[in-house]
Each structure stands twice: as C-alpha cells, then as structure tokens.
Amino acid sequence: MDGFFVPLDPPDDDPSAADGTRILNFSGDSSELRIFPIYTFPDNEKYLEPKYPQIHTLTMSVPDTDVGVVDFRELLLEWLPSGFVTDYKFGLGLVKDCNRLVRLIEKHTECDEIYFMGGTNVAVAGKQLLLGLERFEAILSEIRRINSRGYDGAARVKDAFVHNALASTLSLEPAVYSLGRHPVSQVLTKAADGVKELTEQEQDALIDTFASESAALARTRPETFLKLHRDIELVNLDRLIQSYEDALARGKKEGFWQNFFDNNAFALQQVFGTPMVSFQSSASVGGVGFAGSGGKVADYLLKNPLTNNVALVEIKKPSTSLLNTKEYRGGVFGPSKDLGGAVTQVMDQAYQLMTSFAGLKLASRADLEAYAVSCFVVIGRTPSSDDEQKSFEMYRANSRNVKIVTYDEILEQLKLLRKFLLPEDSER
C-alpha cells in the first residue's frame, strides 16, 4: 500500500507531478513502513525532490497492525517514534536536528536507506544502515539537552548584557553571567558571548608565537607584556587554587599531598617567610643505628638559596585532628596526639640532621648549611569554633621551634596572592 503527496500547485515543468509523489509504503506481509522524505514547499528549489542527497528511504517494522484497515495518518501519529516528522504536509523524514545524523551517514557510507530496529546496535549492511531505535532516541535526547543548555546559556548572557546596559542609570552593580556547571553549557555560554574556544593546534601556535616574540614584546611594548604575563600567572594560579580546593573537598590522603606539593612547589612556598627552594623530598636526615635500622626520613628538605641554610617540612593529611575532642577545662582544648606527634617528629628529624650533617653534606657534595634548622608542619584544617581557634593559636604561638600551618591557611595565602595580582578595576 502506497501513500502519495499530491501538490495543490504542481510545477509547470513537470505535468506528471499532479498525480502525486510517493512518500509512504506499507507492506502488510512484512509489516514494514517505508518513508520517502521529500520537499513539499513550492518555493523550495528542490520542490518534490528527496530531502536528503543519498538517504532516500527510512524503514521500520510496525507490529500489531490490522492490515485491512490501515490509515496512514493514524499509522504516522501512533507508530512513528520521537524524532520523526509526522505531518505529510512537511514531507515526512527526520526532524531538523537529526539532519546532522543523516549527513554523517551520507559522508562516510554508501547507504541509501536507514533501517530502524529494536535495541541499541548500529551496523552497515550493504546499502542499509541498521540503527537501533534506543540508540537513535538516546542521540536525539542528548541533542535536545544540548539545545536546552544553549538556550539557558544565551539567556544568561542576554540577562547580564541588559542589566549592564542600564546598570549605571539604575545605580546597579555590574552583573557577571554564570557559565553553568556542565562543560557543554560552559562552551555554549561562552559562544553566546562571542568567546571562541581555540583548538589544540591554535593553542600550540599561540604558545609558539608568544615564546618566540616575548623578548621583542617586552622591549617594544612593556606594559602590554606585563599585562599578558600577569594574566598568564593568574590563569596558572586559578588552576592551582581549583586543584587545591578539589583535593581538599575529596579528602585526599597524605601521600597524595606530598605528590601534589612535589608538582606544585609554589603552593608549599606559601608556608615560609623567606625564599626557599626544594632540595629533596623524602630526604634521609640520619638516625641510622649500628644495625642499619632506624633511619629518619623528612617529607621535604629545603634550603634558603641565599644562605644555603636548610629547613625541614613534615606533611600530615588535612583530616588530621589538631585538638582533642574533649575540653581539658572550660573553653580550653589540648593539642591532639597527632599534632603533638608531628611536632616532636620534625624536631627529632632536625636533631638527627644536626648530628649527622657533616657526613651527609660530604656525601651529597651539596651547598647546604645547618646554621639553624627551621622546622615546619603542614597539618589539618583550621578549627571552626572560637574556643578551638584560641586554643590552637596559643599552642602554636608557643611552639617556638616548629611553625605549624593548616591546609586552609595555604589556600588563603594563594587566594590573597591572586587578589593582589588582579588589576584594581577587575571584576574577575
């Protein structure tokens, strides 16, 4: 059984078009519905021609149909899945957003038919592309979600633009639109604001250009060079702060943080009040007994690049308790066992280093001095209550030989540095 589209205004150069153009076929024997999408608007230069250059047939099985009383309009409305055009006046076929799917198939296969079947499989069989309806519906659903994110992103950009256009008149603070949380939403929102994302090749070319022209730019346009350099530093700092915050939120263990500070020495440098450079992580500082056991290993051995004086840093995890959970007296909390142990541990490492320093220096042939070994402990999170903060501050203020720093304080140092680097008129 065939269905035809009969034009009300057939083209003058094709008299046979008045008889109609086949757009449907239903086979009762196989219960298969075939669709032949065409253009149905007279002002289209391809009027009554196939919608797609290569894919001319869309086929699917229609179960439980009474062949004797088939009504094509009912068949289209009841059995065509989402994503199909159900009004013959529009030439049938797939909805506009699915045209990209057809173009992809036509570009990379010789298929002239898409056969929709159950399941999620996709395969090429001769000139047929076999496409599972579940896979097709999943693709269409994601396309629609992308559309929705694009609409939402564009709306945020438009709202911010209108707000800022009248902000001075209405005495309002400038608005900054949100990029959204989903990566696709972020890209679409930037695109709505005219921000073009660079490809990897474009990024590489930009980096190469900057590297080769940086000296000339610093000489001829120093202010522009300084601004560009500051912007790059801000991007790096933003990345570091984000990585640091994410690791804190996920409760990473001690080993992770030692690797993190190995790869991001700048973050660890926020602990010191003087310039320090890493000499070695997991450094042996002596303490080996006559039987070869008992060696002490510091998480970090650093030195002052001007005086060569050494410092030791011991790393504990952010979840380490700083204070006892039970009050010693009203409003007073004693240091936790872990905090006290970490302080004693780094002091013992300093003692072992001083004792063995001459031999270690000779063996390493390094420019190191141990005039006065500075000791640092990075541990825990800053207490939240006033009483706990008071107890912690009093304890570490009287820990004269060991400086105790929390993970929150390192993060705050990074954020303060970022704020310092921002230009005064920036809203970032």
Short mmCIF file of all heavy atoms in Angstrom, two decimals, residues 224-264:
data_model
loop_
_atom_site.label_atom_id
_atom_site.label_comp_id
_atom_site.label_asym_id
_atom_site.label_seq_id
_atom_site.Cartn_x
_atom_site.Cartn_y
_atom_site.Cartn_z
N THR A 224 52.09 46.13 27.74
CA THR A 224 51.31 45.02 27.21
C THR A 224 51.91 43.69 27.64
O THR A 224 51.19 42.75 28.01
CB THR A 224 51.25 45.09 25.68
OG1 THR A 224 50.66 46.32 25.29
CG2 THR A 224 50.45 43.93 25.10
N PHE A 225 53.24 43.60 27.60
CA PHE A 225 53.92 42.37 28.01
C PHE A 225 53.65 42.06 29.48
O PHE A 225 53.36 40.91 29.83
CB PHE A 225 55.42 42.49 27.76
CG PHE A 225 56.19 41.27 28.19
CD1 PHE A 225 56.24 40.14 27.39
CD2 PHE A 225 56.86 41.26 29.41
CE1 PHE A 225 56.95 39.02 27.79
CE2 PHE A 225 57.57 40.15 29.82
CZ PHE A 225 57.61 39.02 29.00
N LEU A 226 53.73 43.07 30.34
CA LEU A 226 53.50 42.86 31.77
C LEU A 226 52.07 42.40 32.02
O LEU A 226 51.81 41.53 32.86
CB LEU A 226 53.80 44.14 32.55
CG LEU A 226 55.28 44.50 32.69
CD1 LEU A 226 55.43 45.86 33.36
CD2 LEU A 226 56.02 43.42 33.48
N LYS A 227 51.11 43.00 31.30
CA LYS A 227 49.71 42.60 31.47
C LYS A 227 49.51 41.16 31.03
O LYS A 227 48.82 40.38 31.71
CB LYS A 227 48.79 43.52 30.66
CG LYS A 227 47.31 43.19 30.81
CD LYS A 227 46.46 44.11 29.96
CE LYS A 227 44.97 43.80 30.16
NZ LYS A 227 44.64 42.39 29.83
N LEU A 228 50.10 40.79 29.88
CA LEU A 228 49.98 39.42 29.39
C LEU A 228 50.61 38.44 30.37
O LEU A 228 50.04 37.38 30.67
CB LEU A 228 50.63 39.31 28.01
CG LEU A 228 50.59 37.92 27.35
CD1 LEU A 228 49.15 37.45 27.18
CD2 LEU A 228 51.30 37.96 26.00
N HIS A 229 51.78 38.82 30.88
CA HIS A 229 52.47 37.95 31.84
C HIS A 229 51.64 37.78 33.10
O HIS A 229 51.53 36.68 33.65
CB HIS A 229 53.84 38.56 32.17
CG HIS A 229 54.71 37.64 32.97
ND1 HIS A 229 54.77 37.70 34.36
CD2 HIS A 229 55.56 36.65 32.60
CE1 HIS A 229 55.60 36.78 34.80
NE2 HIS A 229 56.09 36.12 33.75
N ARG A 230 51.04 38.87 33.56
CA ARG A 230 50.20 38.80 34.76
C ARG A 230 48.97 37.92 34.51
O ARG A 230 48.57 37.12 35.37
CB ARG A 230 49.76 40.20 35.18
CG ARG A 230 48.90 40.23 36.45
CD ARG A 230 48.48 41.63 36.77
NE ARG A 230 47.70 42.19 35.69
CZ ARG A 230 47.51 43.50 35.50
NH1 ARG A 230 48.08 44.37 36.30
NH2 ARG A 230 46.77 43.94 34.50
N ASP A 231 48.37 38.05 33.32
CA ASP A 231 47.20 37.23 33.01
C ASP A 231 47.55 35.74 33.00
O ASP A 231 46.76 34.91 33.46
CB ASP A 231 46.62 37.63 31.65
CG ASP A 231 45.92 38.98 31.69
OD1 ASP A 231 45.62 39.45 32.82
OD2 ASP A 231 45.68 39.56 30.62
N ILE A 232 48.72 35.41 32.46
CA ILE A 232 49.15 34.01 32.45
C ILE A 232 49.36 33.50 33.87
O ILE A 232 48.97 32.38 34.23
CB ILE A 232 50.44 33.85 31.61
CG1 ILE A 232 50.14 34.13 30.14
CG2 ILE A 232 51.03 32.45 31.78
CD1 ILE A 232 51.37 34.18 29.27
N GLU A 233 49.98 34.35 34.71
CA GLU A 233 50.19 33.96 36.11
C GLU A 233 48.85 33.74 36.81
O GLU A 233 48.71 32.82 37.63
CB GLU A 233 51.00 35.04 36.84
CG GLU A 233 52.46 35.08 36.43
CD GLU A 233 53.23 36.15 37.18
OE1 GLU A 233 52.59 37.15 37.60
OE2 GLU A 233 54.45 36.00 37.37
N LEU A 234 47.87 34.59 36.50
CA LEU A 234 46.55 34.44 37.12
C LEU A 234 45.89 33.14 36.69
O LEU A 234 45.25 32.46 37.51
CB LEU A 234 45.66 35.63 36.75
CG LEU A 234 45.89 36.91 37.55
CD1 LEU A 234 45.13 38.08 36.92
CD2 LEU A 234 45.47 36.72 38.99
N VAL A 235 46.02 32.78 35.42
CA VAL A 235 45.44 31.52 34.94
C VAL A 235 46.09 30.34 35.66
O VAL A 235 45.40 29.42 36.12
CB VAL A 235 45.62 31.38 33.42
CG1 VAL A 235 45.25 29.97 32.96
CG2 VAL A 235 44.78 32.42 32.69
N ASN A 236 47.42 30.35 35.79
CA ASN A 236 48.11 29.29 36.50
C ASN A 236 47.69 29.23 37.96
O ASN A 236 47.51 28.15 38.54
CB ASN A 236 49.62 29.48 36.40
CG ASN A 236 50.17 29.17 35.02
OD1 ASN A 236 49.61 28.33 34.31
ND2 ASN A 236 51.24 29.82 34.63
N LEU A 237 47.54 30.41 38.56
CA LEU A 237 47.15 30.47 39.96
C LEU A 237 45.72 29.97 40.14
O LEU A 237 45.41 29.26 41.11
CB LEU A 237 47.29 31.91 40.47
CG LEU A 237 47.21 32.12 41.99
CD1 LEU A 237 48.19 31.22 42.73
CD2 LEU A 237 47.50 33.58 42.33
N ASP A 238 44.84 30.34 39.22
CA ASP A 238 43.46 29.84 39.27
C ASP A 238 43.43 28.31 39.19
O ASP A 238 42.67 27.65 39.91
CB ASP A 238 42.63 30.42 38.12
CG ASP A 238 42.23 31.87 38.37
OD1 ASP A 238 42.24 32.29 39.54
OD2 ASP A 238 41.91 32.58 37.41
N ARG A 239 44.24 27.76 38.29
CA ARG A 239 44.30 26.30 38.15
C ARG A 239 44.79 25.66 39.44
O ARG A 239 44.24 24.65 39.90
CB ARG A 239 45.23 25.93 37.00
CG ARG A 239 45.37 24.43 36.76
CD ARG A 239 46.61 24.11 35.97
NE ARG A 239 47.83 24.54 36.64
CZ ARG A 239 48.41 23.87 37.63
NH1 ARG A 239 47.87 22.73 38.07
NH2 ARG A 239 49.51 24.31 38.20
N LEU A 240 45.82 26.26 40.04
CA LEU A 240 46.38 25.72 41.28
C LEU A 240 45.36 25.78 42.41
O LEU A 240 45.17 24.81 43.15
CB LEU A 240 47.64 26.50 41.65
CG LEU A 240 48.33 26.12 42.97
CD1 LEU A 240 48.73 24.66 42.95
CD2 LEU A 240 49.55 27.02 43.20
N ILE A 241 44.67 26.91 42.53
CA ILE A 241 43.66 27.06 43.59
C ILE A 241 42.53 26.07 43.40
O ILE A 241 42.07 25.44 44.36
CB ILE A 241 43.13 28.51 43.60
CG1 ILE A 241 44.21 29.47 44.10
CG2 ILE A 241 41.88 28.62 44.48
CD1 ILE A 241 43.84 30.94 43.97
N GLN A 242 42.07 25.90 42.16
CA GLN A 242 40.98 24.96 41.89
C GLN A 242 41.39 23.54 42.22
O GLN A 242 40.63 22.78 42.84
CB GLN A 242 40.56 25.07 40.42
CG GLN A 242 39.35 24.21 40.07
CD GLN A 242 38.11 24.62 40.82
OE1 GLN A 242 37.70 25.77 40.75
NE2 GLN A 242 37.50 23.69 41.55
N SER A 243 42.61 23.15 41.81
CA SER A 243 43.10 21.79 42.11
C SER A 243 43.22 21.58 43.61
O SER A 243 42.87 20.51 44.13
CB SER A 243 44.47 21.57 41.45
OG SER A 243 44.38 21.68 40.05
N TYR A 244 43.70 22.59 44.30
CA TYR A 244 43.88 22.52 45.76
C TYR A 244 42.52 22.35 46.44
O TYR A 244 42.34 21.50 47.32
CB TYR A 244 44.58 23.79 46.25
CG TYR A 244 45.15 23.72 47.64
CD1 TYR A 244 46.50 23.50 47.85
CD2 TYR A 244 44.33 23.92 48.76
CE1 TYR A 244 47.02 23.45 49.14
CE2 TYR A 244 44.84 23.87 50.03
CZ TYR A 244 46.19 23.64 50.22
OH TYR A 244 46.71 23.59 51.50
N GLU A 245 41.55 23.17 46.05
CA GLU A 245 40.22 23.10 46.65
C GLU A 245 39.55 21.75 46.38
O GLU A 245 38.91 21.18 47.26
CB GLU A 245 39.34 24.23 46.12
CG GLU A 245 39.71 25.60 46.67
CD GLU A 245 38.82 26.71 46.13
OE1 GLU A 245 38.45 26.62 44.94
OE2 GLU A 245 38.49 27.63 46.89
N ASP A 246 39.70 21.24 45.14
CA ASP A 246 39.11 19.95 44.79
C ASP A 246 39.71 18.83 45.63
O ASP A 246 38.99 17.94 46.12
CB ASP A 246 39.33 19.65 43.31
CG ASP A 246 38.49 20.53 42.40
OD1 ASP A 246 37.56 21.19 42.91
OD2 ASP A 246 38.79 20.59 41.19
N ALA A 247 41.03 18.85 45.82
CA ALA A 247 41.69 17.82 46.62
C ALA A 247 41.25 17.89 48.08
O ALA A 247 41.05 16.85 48.73
CB ALA A 247 43.21 17.97 46.51
N LEU A 248 41.10 19.10 48.62
CA LEU A 248 40.61 19.25 49.99
C LEU A 248 39.20 18.69 50.12
O LEU A 248 38.88 17.99 51.10
CB LEU A 248 40.62 20.72 50.41
CG LEU A 248 41.94 21.32 50.90
CD1 LEU A 248 41.74 22.77 51.30
CD2 LEU A 248 42.49 20.54 52.09
N ALA A 249 38.35 18.99 49.14
CA ALA A 249 36.95 18.54 49.20
C ALA A 249 36.86 17.02 49.13
O ALA A 249 35.95 16.42 49.71
CB ALA A 249 36.16 19.18 48.07
N ARG A 250 37.80 16.38 48.43
CA ARG A 250 37.75 14.93 48.27
C ARG A 250 38.46 14.18 49.38
O ARG A 250 38.47 12.94 49.39
CB ARG A 250 38.37 14.55 46.92
CG ARG A 250 37.57 15.07 45.72
CD ARG A 250 38.24 14.71 44.41
NE ARG A 250 37.53 15.27 43.27
CZ ARG A 250 37.92 15.14 42.03
NH1 ARG A 250 39.03 14.46 41.75
NH2 ARG A 250 37.22 15.68 41.04
N GLY A 251 39.07 14.91 50.33
CA GLY A 251 39.71 14.25 51.47
C GLY A 251 40.89 13.39 51.10
O GLY A 251 41.02 12.26 51.58
N LYS A 252 41.75 13.89 50.22
CA LYS A 252 42.91 13.12 49.77
C LYS A 252 43.86 12.80 50.93
O LYS A 252 43.98 13.55 51.90
CB LYS A 252 43.66 13.90 48.69
CG LYS A 252 42.86 14.09 47.40
CD LYS A 252 42.63 12.78 46.69
CE LYS A 252 42.00 12.99 45.32
NZ LYS A 252 41.80 11.73 44.59
N LYS A 253 44.57 11.68 50.78
CA LYS A 253 45.46 11.19 51.83
C LYS A 253 46.82 11.88 51.78
O LYS A 253 47.15 12.63 50.87
CB LYS A 253 45.64 9.67 51.69
CG LYS A 253 44.32 8.89 51.75
CD LYS A 253 43.61 9.07 53.06
CE LYS A 253 42.33 8.21 53.12
NZ LYS A 253 41.59 8.40 54.37
N GLU A 254 47.65 11.54 52.78
CA GLU A 254 48.96 12.19 52.96
C GLU A 254 49.86 12.00 51.74
O GLU A 254 50.55 12.93 51.31
CB GLU A 254 49.62 11.62 54.21
CG GLU A 254 50.92 12.27 54.61
CD GLU A 254 51.46 11.69 55.90
OE1 GLU A 254 50.66 11.39 56.80
OE2 GLU A 254 52.70 11.54 56.01
N GLY A 255 49.87 10.78 51.17
CA GLY A 255 50.73 10.51 50.02
C GLY A 255 50.37 11.38 48.83
O GLY A 255 51.25 11.85 48.10
N PHE A 256 49.06 11.61 48.63
CA PHE A 256 48.63 12.49 47.54
C PHE A 256 49.21 13.88 47.72
O PHE A 256 49.68 14.50 46.75
CB PHE A 256 47.11 12.56 47.48
CG PHE A 256 46.60 13.67 46.59
CD1 PHE A 256 46.43 13.45 45.23
CD2 PHE A 256 46.32 14.94 47.10
CE1 PHE A 256 45.97 14.46 44.40
CE2 PHE A 256 45.86 15.95 46.27
CZ PHE A 256 45.69 15.72 44.93
N TRP A 257 49.16 14.40 48.95
CA TRP A 257 49.59 15.78 49.18
C TRP A 257 51.10 15.94 48.99
O TRP A 257 51.56 16.99 48.53
CB TRP A 257 49.16 16.24 50.56
CG TRP A 257 47.69 16.52 50.59
CD1 TRP A 257 46.71 15.74 51.12
CD2 TRP A 257 47.04 17.65 50.00
NE1 TRP A 257 45.48 16.32 50.90
CE2 TRP A 257 45.65 17.49 50.23
CE3 TRP A 257 47.48 18.78 49.33
CZ2 TRP A 257 44.72 18.43 49.79
CZ3 TRP A 257 46.55 19.71 48.88
CH2 TRP A 257 45.20 19.54 49.12
N GLN A 258 51.86 14.90 49.32
CA GLN A 258 53.30 15.01 49.07
C GLN A 258 53.57 15.08 47.57
O GLN A 258 54.38 15.90 47.11
CB GLN A 258 54.05 13.83 49.69
CG GLN A 258 55.58 14.00 49.57
CD GLN A 258 56.34 13.20 50.59
OE1 GLN A 258 55.76 12.57 51.46
NE2 GLN A 258 57.66 13.22 50.48
N ASN A 259 52.85 14.27 46.78
CA ASN A 259 52.99 14.36 45.32
C ASN A 259 52.50 15.70 44.80
O ASN A 259 53.09 16.29 43.88
CB ASN A 259 52.21 13.23 44.65
CG ASN A 259 52.83 11.87 44.87
OD1 ASN A 259 54.05 11.75 45.03
ND2 ASN A 259 52.01 10.83 44.89
N PHE A 260 51.41 16.21 45.39
CA PHE A 260 50.85 17.50 44.96
C PHE A 260 51.87 18.61 45.17
O PHE A 260 52.10 19.43 44.28
CB PHE A 260 49.58 17.79 45.75
CG PHE A 260 48.92 19.09 45.37
CD1 PHE A 260 47.99 19.13 44.35
CD2 PHE A 260 49.23 20.28 46.03
CE1 PHE A 260 47.38 20.33 43.99
CE2 PHE A 260 48.62 21.47 45.67
CZ PHE A 260 47.70 21.50 44.66
N PHE A 261 52.49 18.64 46.35
CA PHE A 261 53.47 19.70 46.62
C PHE A 261 54.76 19.49 45.83
O PHE A 261 55.47 20.46 45.51
CB PHE A 261 53.78 19.77 48.12
CG PHE A 261 52.64 20.32 48.94
CD1 PHE A 261 52.17 19.64 50.06
CD2 PHE A 261 52.03 21.50 48.60
CE1 PHE A 261 51.12 20.15 50.81
CE2 PHE A 261 50.98 22.02 49.34
CZ PHE A 261 50.52 21.33 50.45
N ASP A 262 55.07 18.22 45.48
CA ASP A 262 56.20 17.98 44.58
C ASP A 262 55.96 18.65 43.23
O ASP A 262 56.86 19.25 42.64
CB ASP A 262 56.40 16.47 44.36
CG ASP A 262 57.15 15.81 45.50
OD1 ASP A 262 57.82 16.53 46.27
OD2 ASP A 262 57.05 14.58 45.64
N ASN A 263 54.72 18.53 42.74
CA ASN A 263 54.38 19.06 41.42
C ASN A 263 53.98 20.53 41.45
O ASN A 263 53.90 21.17 40.39
CB ASN A 263 53.25 18.23 40.81
CG ASN A 263 53.64 16.80 40.56
OD1 ASN A 263 54.78 16.51 40.20
ND2 ASN A 263 52.71 15.88 40.76
N ASN A 264 53.67 21.05 42.64
CA ASN A 264 53.24 22.45 42.79
C ASN A 264 54.00 23.08 43.94
O ASN A 264 53.42 23.46 44.97
CB ASN A 264 51.73 22.52 43.03
CG ASN A 264 50.92 21.91 41.90
OD1 ASN A 264 50.66 22.55 40.89
ND2 ASN A 264 50.50 20.66 42.08
#
